[in-house]
Amino acid sequence: TLAVVMSFLFLMFNAAGVIALQSFLIPASMQLFDMPQIVAASALTAFFVGSGTGMVAGGFVVSRTQRHGLVCAAALVIAASLVAFLGTAALPASTLPMMMGLCGFSLGVVSPLRDMIIRDIAPDNARGRVYGFVYTGMDIGSLFSPAMFGWVLDHGQPQWVYFGTGLLWAVGMFTLIQIRRTTLAAKA
């Protein structure tokens, strides 16, 4: 179904953005903000700590709302906006760890919510097949992201690690909207 394909694409875009930051946040930050490696590494650590904390918070959110898609989209918009704004280098470098921690938290909230969204679209008799197909999107996103963002860095455009990640997550958010539209149309 279209909802399954959109879920695949959502996970692909989401994973591509995460892998871009995991792989290239440190060198991109060193170039863009002219900061030492240890400060750039602390921003990546803050992203991971924020992400883990956000996953725990997302678990509580999942149990308190049925609007998983809406909350997931809102968290994704926050993460995409934060990371894209960082690409402008408008803030002092000293704020990068805090901003990346917030970005990680927002993205962490997405994880439990996305799992519920996928569970909701999967028919009971095909849940394993749907999960298997949809989660392959993460592998595909993880595959193309390093080559794409490595090329960007090789061409002296570190801001595009940030802008590109924000763009990937924004496109992912639109796939969430399409999932919602498709499931509403199927119920009508």
Side-chain angles (χ1 to χ4, degrees):
T1 68
L2 184 58
V4 171
V5 172
M6 288 295 120
S7 297
F8 172 91
L9 292 173
F10 169 69
L11 289 175
M12 183 183 76
F13 291 124
N14 189 36
V18 170
I19 294 299
L21 290 181
Q22 248 179 255
S23 302
F24 300 111
L25 179 68
I26 294 172
S29 299
M30 290 171 63
Q31 289 177 31
L32 186 62
F33 292 99
D34 193 30
M35 64 173 41
Q37 184 176 10
I38 190 141
V39 178
S42 70
L44 183 59
T45 300
F47 176 77
F48 287 140
V49 170
S51 180
T53 306
M55 282 184 205
V56 172
F60 286 104
V61 171
V62 159
S63 65
R64 287 172 173 70
T65 184
Q66 294 300 312
R67 306 287 309 253
H68 302 130
L70 178 65
V71 178
C72 189
L76 205 54
V77 164
I78 291 168
S81 299
L82 285 171
V83 78
F85 180 69
L86 287 170
T88 66
L91 295 175
S94 60
T95 63
L96 185 64
M98 179 192 67
M99 295 295 284
M100 288 308 302
L102 291 172
C103 179
F105 181 86
S106 295
L107 197 63
V109 168
V110 168
S111 293
L113 294 162
R114 69 152 195 240
D115 294 341
M116 297 303 291
I117 292 166
I118 294 166
R119 185 200 69 179
D120 291 344
I121 65 158
D124 290 338
N125 64 346
R127 195 163 277 160
R129 286 188 302 258
V130 169
Y131 274 78
F133 173 74
V134 166
Y135 279 87
T136 303
M138 293 175 90
D139 300 327
I140 303 297
S142 299
L143 176 69
F144 78 78
S145 181
M148 182 172 68
F149 287 100
W151 183 84
V152 164
L153 270 181
D154 286 347
H155 286 82
Q157 301 295 318
Q159 70 275 18
W160 279 100
V161 171
Y162 295 96
F163 294 149
T165 298
L167 182 63
L168 286 167
W169 290 342
V171 171
M173 190 265 314
F174 285 108
T175 64
L176 283 174
I177 292 169
Q178 192 61 38
I179 293 166
R180 174 89 171 135
R181 286 183 182 159
T182 302
T183 53
L184 287 176
K187 290 179 183 177

